[in-house]
């Protein structure tokens, strides 16, 4: 097989099969937390019904001519979960494990995430069931363009704005922007975020999710009376989110004791030289074989002896099976949905401070918002401005979650859901029901 056509946004690491099968489907896992938060908020039954259902679900066939001349038909999804607060916003993933249930859950999470950090977007997600690592660059481009054209009715700066997610990147966003613009007969940069900087992308967007993770980890450590300097961190996933989080945390003085990708886990109790690991991965495209660390199974990274663990790969990796063995004091959820509802209870009993996904990884969509604002204004900010504004939104959101959790005696995940649902519900009440 030739070299994979893209470098991934988040890297997929699949948990052991039995744990994956044993626990809930992602939409039900999201709903369990939603129900709990809605109950505590005493959400009225009408709104409860509205917010439990996605607004729009698109299932589309994506026929593509492979390089060998044969036609393959892939399945694509785009789910707009809720658009009461603004245009639908959320990434597109290309992966063999994409299902409608997963896309629905991810679209709902985007809704809560945007509300939690209080940016004027609704939530969406898209996906194509395919294996981009087995495609040439040309095939990937054809899948992207055909998928884009088949969901084009929903797309637009005022209606639905995609971004990178698992196995998609700036290159893919550039094709989406071009396809949309060709149909519209003029260039529309604000239809998609996470674009190359040269074509209307924002400075700092590539690092934004990892930077957000670094900021909230620092805040959480401070709450526990600890400093980022010397804090021992283990990170699962070495795609865009995991690798940038590792790099920025190390630059702030944290000790990165372990990282992993789908090829291997790496452990060095004295701390990895993250710059050196990044160089290795740039050259070889995988962690396996890196010499200055012990190779460990990649799922072991989650249960290592450390202060902070960052699951930055995919859903359902912290389950009832491994949650009892987690030794970290803080979990910073760089991935979407890495912890199952059953595991939440165990973590709470153990007193682990969880920075939930909809807060921890919200840096990405926050800078996507900045990118959309810059594209629409046609005026671009310097990187310092982007980072300063990101910092202020992440710190404010973190503080709101922690004080809500204290005031209502709930864990940080339920506090985050409550704040988000409360904001979305408030918008529905103000707008009224068009029926
Ligand atoms: N895919 C990212 C997420 O899950 C970014 C979404 C966006 O920027 O719209 O948050």
């Amino acid at each position: 097989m030739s070299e994979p056509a893209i470098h991934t946004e988040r890297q997929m690491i699949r948990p052991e099969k039995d744990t994956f099968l044993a626990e809930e489907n992602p939409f039900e896992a999201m709903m369990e937390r939603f129900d709990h938060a809605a109950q505590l908020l005493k959400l009225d039954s009408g709104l409860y019904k509205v917010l439990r259902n996605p607004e729009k679900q698109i299932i589309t066939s994506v026929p593509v001519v492979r390089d060998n001349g044969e036609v393959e038909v892939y399945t694509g999804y785009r789910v707009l979960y809720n658009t009461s607060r603004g245009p639908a916003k959320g990434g597109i993933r290309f992966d063999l494990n994409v299902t409608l249930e997963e896309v629905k859950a991810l679209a709902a999470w985007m809704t809560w995430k945007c509300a939690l950090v209080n940016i004027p977007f609704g939530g969406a997600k898209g996906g194509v069931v395919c294996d981009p690592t087995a495609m040439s660059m040309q095939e990937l481009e054809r899948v992207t363009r055909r998928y884009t054209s088949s969901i084009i009715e929903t797309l637009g700066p005022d209606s639905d704005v995609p971004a990178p997610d698992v196995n998609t990147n700036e290159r893919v966003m550039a094709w989406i922007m071009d396809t949309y613009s060709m149909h519209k007969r003029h260039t529309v940069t604000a239809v998609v975020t996470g674009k190359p900087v040269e074509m209307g992308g924002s400075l700092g967007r590539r690092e934004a999710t990892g930077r957000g993770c670094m900021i909230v980890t620092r805040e959480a450590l401070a709450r526990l009376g600890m400093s980022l300097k010397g804090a021992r961190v283990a990170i699962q996933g070495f795609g865009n989110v995991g690798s940038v989080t590792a790099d920025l945390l190390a630059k702030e003085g944290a000790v990165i004791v372990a990282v992993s990708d789908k090829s291997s886990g790496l452990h060095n109790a004295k701390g990895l030289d993250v710059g050196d690991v990044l160089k290795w991965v740039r050259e070889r495209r995988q962690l396996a074989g890196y010499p200055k660390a012990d190779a460990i199974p990649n799922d072991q990274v989650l249960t290592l002896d450390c202060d902070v663990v960052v699951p930055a790969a995919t859903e359902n990796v912290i389950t009832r099976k491994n949650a009892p063995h987690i030794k970290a004091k803080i979990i910073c959820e760089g991935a979407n949905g890495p912890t199952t509802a059953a595991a939440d209870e165990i973590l709470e009993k153990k007193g682990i401070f969880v920075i939930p996904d909809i807060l921890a990884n919200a840096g990405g969509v926050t800078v996507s918002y900045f990118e959309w604002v810059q594209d629409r204004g046609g005026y671009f900010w310097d990187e310092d401005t982007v980072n300063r504004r990101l910092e202020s939104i992440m710190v404010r959101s973190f503080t709101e979650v922690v004080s809500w959790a204290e005031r209502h005696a709930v864990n940080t995940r339920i506090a985050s859901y409550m704040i988000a649902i409360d904001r979305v519900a408030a918008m529905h009440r103000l707008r009224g029901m068009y029926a």
Side-chain angles (χ1 to χ4, degrees), residues 207-420:
E207 298 79 17
T209 313
R211 180 171 294 279
C213 287
M214 181 275 285
I215 294 168
V216 290
T217 298
R218 185 195 65 208
E219 296 299 303
L221 282 162
R223 280 203 69 81
L224 301 187
M226 294 165 74
S227 159
L228 200 47
K229 286 212 167 36
R232 293 165 310 135
V233 184
I235 300 178
Q236 185 199 44
F238 213 66
N240 183 38
V241 180
S243 65
V244 173
T245 304
D247 191 35
L248 293 179
L249 283 172
K251 283 181 176 142
E252 296 293 322
V255 180
I256 310 301
V257 293
V259 294
S260 72
D261 68 1
K262 55 182 174 251
S263 73
S264 178
L266 300 179
H267 181 224
N268 184 338
K270 293 204 198 85
L272 295 156
D273 176 347
V274 176
D276 197 46
V277 177
L278 283 167
K279 190 164 161 273
W280 175 273
V281 169
R282 258 195 306 274
E283 283 160 10
R284 296 177 177 76
R285 296 188 157 262
Q286 59 173 30
L287 291 171
Y290 181 73
K292 293 175 227 161
D294 299 323
I296 56 169
N298 46 31
D299 59 345
Q300 255 182 38
V301 166
L302 297 170
T303 51
L304 281 176
D305 180 27
C306 62
D307 300 311
V308 182
V309 64
V310 184
T314 188
E315 295 107 79
N316 292 350
V317 294
I318 300 179
T319 64
R320 70 177 94 221
K321 207 169 147 188
N322 60 1
H325 310 300
I326 291 187
K327 298 177 192 69
K329 300 171 190 73
I330 294 169
I331 297 176
C332 172
E333 297 183 340
N336 289 310
T339 306
T340 66
D344 265 354
E345 274 178 43
I346 300 167
L347 301 177
E348 192 173 354
K349 284 204 190 96
K350 284 171 69 97
I352 295 176
F353 189 109
V354 176
I355 314 171
D357 48 4
I358 58 173
L359 172 63
N361 69 40
V365 75
T366 300
V367 177
S368 277
Y369 166 52
F370 297 162
E371 180 171 332
W372 178 80
V373 168
Q374 293 170 78
D375 287 342
R376 286 163 72 101
Y379 181 73
F380 290 86
W381 314 346
D382 60 40
E383 196 166 348
D384 258 10
T385 306
V386 171
N387 290 346
R388 216 174 355 93
R389 290 178 176 170
L390 171 63
E391 163 93 21
S392 117
I393 289 183
M394 293 307 295
V395 172
R396 183 194 68 207
S397 306
F398 179 90
T399 310
E400 282 174 354
V401 167
V402 170
S403 48
W404 185 290
E406 281 169 0
R407 209 162 40 207
H408 297 267
V410 292
N411 66 36
T412 46
R413 184 175 324 273
I414 296 302
S416 304
Y417 272 67
M418 286 175 81
I419 296 171

Side-chain angles (χ1 to χ4, degrees), residues 9-10 89-93 106 110 113 125 161-166 193-194 205 209 336 361-362 364-369:
E9 164 83 1
R10 286 191 182 82
K89 188 83 193 76
I92 289 172
R93 56 176 61 179
L106 290 159
M110 284 309 301
K113 193 187 299 186
K125 204 75 167 200
V161 186
D165 199 81
V166 171
T193 60
R205 173 61 184 88
T209 313
N336 289 310
N361 69 40
V365 75
T366 300
V367 177
S368 277
Y369 166 52

